[in-house]
Each structure stands twice: as C-alpha cells, then as structure tokens.
Amino acid sequence: MRVVAAMSGGVDSAVAAARMLDAGHEVVGVHLALSRSAATLRESARGCCTIEDAGDARRVADRLGIPFYVWDMAERFQRDVMDDFVAEYRAGRTPNPCLRCNESIKFAALLDKALALGFDAVATGHYAQVVERVAADGGVVRELHRGVDADKDQSYVLGVLDADQLSRAFFPLGDTTKPRIREEAAARGFSVAKKPDSYDICFIADGDTRGWLTKRLGEQPGEIVDAGSGEVVGTHQGAYGFTIGQRRGLGLDRSAVDGDPRYVVGVDAPTNRVLIGTSDLLGVDLLTADHARWCGPAPTSEVRVGAQVRAHGEEVAAWARVDDTDPEVVHVRLDTRLRGVAPGQSVVLYEGTRVVGSATIAATSRQRVAQGAG
C-alpha cells in the first residue's frame, strides 16, 4: 500500500512510520503545520505542533530514507478545532479538542488529501489496535480496540472514527508498551527516542486554559451562586473559565460551607452564572449525547456497553440505546454514578476492548431513587 505516515515529531509517530516501512508499504512522511505562527512557539512548549517538532520529524524521515512533506492545515485547524473550542466554552460546555482534531484534521482533512493524491491509507502513532475479523458474509471487518498499554491507550480519542475511516487507518503501536517503543526508537538511532511526551492542549503551550480563553473572550464578570440556597457567594470574571467538578480556583472567601467543600455543579452560560454545591450533587447516571459516531454498524436495540467519559477515566458498565427519532442521539444509563461529567465531553462506548462508537454529552441527570436510598 501507499501510506501517509503522520509524523508529529515525537517518538511514537517516528516508530509508527518505521514499522509501516518494515511491513513493506510505500511510506511518505507528512508533518501537519497546524499553527499560523509556529516559529513563535517556545522550544519548551508542551504541545506537539512547534517548528522544532517539524524539524525532528524531518530528521527521522531522512534516517528512514522516505520522502517528507509539511502540509499546511492551519486554517482548517483554526476553524474546526480552536474556534470550536472557544465556542464550546462560551456556551458553558467542556470540549475535548483532541477528539475534534482526530475527527476533523487527522482522519478527515489528512485522509481526504491523502486519498486525493493516490494514497491508500494513513498511519499514526496512536496507542490503539485495528483488529480484522471475518464477517458472516465472508467479508473482512476492521474493528477499533484498546491498545495493550493501559497507561497509554488512546482508543478514547479515536472513538470518533467511522467504519470507512477505520478501513484506511493503521495504528502500528497498539500491540506494544511505551517503554518498548522508546527502546525501539533508540535501537533505530532516532534522536527523538528520549523526547518527552506532549501534554495538555497543543495550542495552549503554557497550560493556562482560563488565561487563553480570557484573551479571546474578554473578562465577563458574573456571580457564583450556591445551588442549594440560591445565595450569591462570590463573583468571577467569566463563566467560561469553569467546568463541572472543579473545586480549585473558585476564588471564594470561604472554600467550604458547614465544613463541606464546594464544587462547580453547573455553568449557566446565558446568565453567566457559576453554580456551586456539595459533592453529592455531582454524581450522574443518565447521559443524553448527540453527534453519534459509530466505528461499525449502529446498535439497533439497547445494548450492554462500557462507558468512558474522559481520556484516562474509568470505564463504567452501562446500557446504551439510539434515540427512537434521532439516530444521532444516544441515551446512556450508567450502572454507577460518575462525578464531574460535563456537557461537551465525549462518552465513548466499548464492548470489551472494542470501541463501539462515541457521542458528545449534551445533558446529564440521575435516576430517581427511593426515599432513603443512597
């Protein structure tokens, strides 16, 4: 196959490209230029899209002896990821930009361009596995599964991929742990073998999400309200700077009332109010999610699944069903209440290690319980 290897400049994508070459594919390395001013980013930036990263990727490609190109996708990234990120926080939601990037950039814009240029597939350094099985009709079905390294598993952020995208995707690292990947990179003589992993949001290099949003949305003073009493207990400079489950950074004169710590339990964007309450108000077990994406056929009835709402969060046993009137809406009923679940987050559904699909949480609630029940 003719394969585009997405090379971020890190150790994972470097080994992924090398493994695709070892497997006999015709490989071309591509670095995605996602910043309109990459040259201004600091060398110590914790993201994965700096000008230094492009240089690291090129050196790996040279060592492998494969062609290397930089594809400018800054405008698309700005529109589909960064602008979406700002809009979601403005609306009082908590987005995951890595999922949006995988959906809109790496497996839409990148794959579409690769196919248009005559390539067959895209390979990335994600820690996930594509497992092929024979279907009842004799055809081959490709399934997305968790990576074997539980600490690095990235199947959650790939839950937005559909069956067609999976048919043209390779994740060569899914069967290996991260320490072994670093050892392999060193053995291959890659200069990035000991390069630190990227953290946080790639376009917020200093990790200060609230400060980054304030520069774009401006200060918007509002009230912090106790959800139980309705009392105004403080003020803030922008509701967009808060997310459900947050405890620190509330800026209150008293961090607790009656000895109980307070958490953000709601963000009301229309009134610019932040609601706080005790931890018992955080647990939810009913999720309504939209923008459903299925890694294979959509479920036709209520199905037993594992549900995960954070990239490295716990998986909770649940029931899921597609809405009777809107196929893009999914209802998820959790066996165990989860705390700090916010609209805008993604819920990814699993059957064992297989990713069934994902959807974006639109609303949360809890089942009614009998009086006196926990």
Side-chain angles (χ1 to χ4, degrees):
M1 284 189 175
R2 299 188 69 220
V3 177
V4 166
M7 302 182 69
S8 67
V11 61
D12 297 327
S13 60
V15 173
R19 288 187 170 187
M20 293 304 293
L21 194 64
D22 290 348
H25 299 290
E26 180 183 342
V27 180
V28 170
V30 169
H31 180 81
L32 301 182
L34 303 180
S35 172
R36 292 175 173 174
S37 56
T40 66
L41 297 180
R42 299 177 294 109
E43 280 191 27
S44 58
R46 294 182 292 177
C48 59
C49 309
T50 69
I51 194 168
E52 291 83 8
D53 293 320
D56 288 339
R58 183 180 296 278
R59 281 185 283 275
V60 170
D62 288 345
R63 186 168 186 85
L64 292 174
I66 62 174
F68 177 82
Y69 301 94
V70 175
W71 288 359
D72 184 358
M73 293 193 176
E75 184 175 346
R76 177 79 177 261
F77 185 78
Q78 175 74 45
R79 182 185 73 239
D80 291 356
V81 180
M82 296 175 68
D83 290 350
D84 174 79
F85 184 81
V86 173
E88 287 288 277
Y89 269 103
R90 182 190 288 117
R93 293 154 62 93
T94 304
N96 186 314
C98 292
L99 274 92
R100 295 287 80 77
C101 183
N102 282 328
E103 178 182 6
S104 299
I105 306 300
K106 293 177 181 175
F107 293 95
L110 174 63
L111 180 57
D112 288 348
K113 183 170 182 176
L115 295 177
L117 292 174
F119 291 91
D120 302 303
V122 166
T124 72
H126 287 97
Y127 285 81
Q129 299 183 88
V130 174
V131 176
E132 294 186 348
R133 66 174 179 83
V134 179
D137 61 2
V140 176
V141 176
R142 303 187 92 215
E143 299 175 341
L144 177 64
H145 286 252
R146 290 189 183 275
V148 300
D149 189 335
D151 292 333
K152 295 298 295 182
D153 172 51
Q154 292 174 299
S155 60
Y156 176 87
V157 296
L158 295 172
V160 292
L161 304 188
D162 60 29
D164 184 60
Q165 290 169 326
L166 277 177
S167 71
R168 299 178 181 276
F170 287 94
F171 308 116
L173 309 189
D175 63 352
T176 312
T177 63
K178 183 60 178 269
R180 293 294 301 273
I181 292 298
R182 289 200 180 277
E183 292 173 4
E184 182 175 333
R188 291 178 181 272
F190 293 162
S191 60
V192 296
K194 296 183 179 181
K195 186 175 181 178
D197 290 342
S198 58
Y199 293 98
D200 300 316
I201 300 167
C202 69
F203 52 86
I204 305 180
D206 61 3
D208 182 9
T209 300
R210 182 183 292 184
W212 188 89
L213 288 168
T214 299
K215 291 178 182 178
R216 286 150 182 83
L217 296 174
E219 292 189 351
Q220 300 177 17
E223 298 173 337
I224 299 177
V225 179
D226 186 281
S229 66
E231 177 187 0
V232 176
V233 295
T235 60
H236 62 77
Q237 297 305 308
Y240 54 78
F242 298 84
T243 188
I244 292 176
Q246 179 178 334
R247 179 182 177 185
R248 296 184 178 181
L250 301 183
L252 301 178
D253 292 336
R254 293 187 301 166
S255 61
V257 179
D258 299 329
D260 292 328
R262 277 352 192 214
Y263 302 82
V264 175
V265 298
V267 178
D268 188 349
T271 63
N272 196 29
R273 281 186 162 193
V274 174
L275 305 178
I276 64 168
T278 51
S279 61
D280 59 296
L281 298 179
L282 288 176
V284 299
D285 50 20
L286 296 176
L287 312 177
T288 299
D290 53 25
H291 189 59
R293 303 271 293 185
W294 304 106
C295 299
T300 56
S301 61
E302 189 171 51
V303 293
R304 191 66 170 161
V305 295
Q308 185 173 328
V309 300
R310 297 180 183 86
H312 297 290
E314 63 177 313
E315 179 183 321
V316 175
W319 291 95
R321 66 174 178 86
V322 178
D323 189 81
D324 295 333
T325 59
D326 189 341
E328 289 202 354
V329 173
V330 182
H331 302 280
V332 181
R333 179 162 47 94
L334 306 170
D335 286 8
T336 305
R337 286 180 177 172
L338 288 177
R339 292 175 45 171
V341 181
Q345 291 177 320
S346 290
V347 56
V348 177
L349 307 177
Y350 292 84
E351 181 186 51
T353 62
R354 181 178 74 88
V355 180
V356 178
S358 71
T360 303
I361 299 170
T364 65
S365 60
R366 62 175 72 189
Q367 300 181 72
R368 292 183 180 274
V369 296
Q371 188 172 3

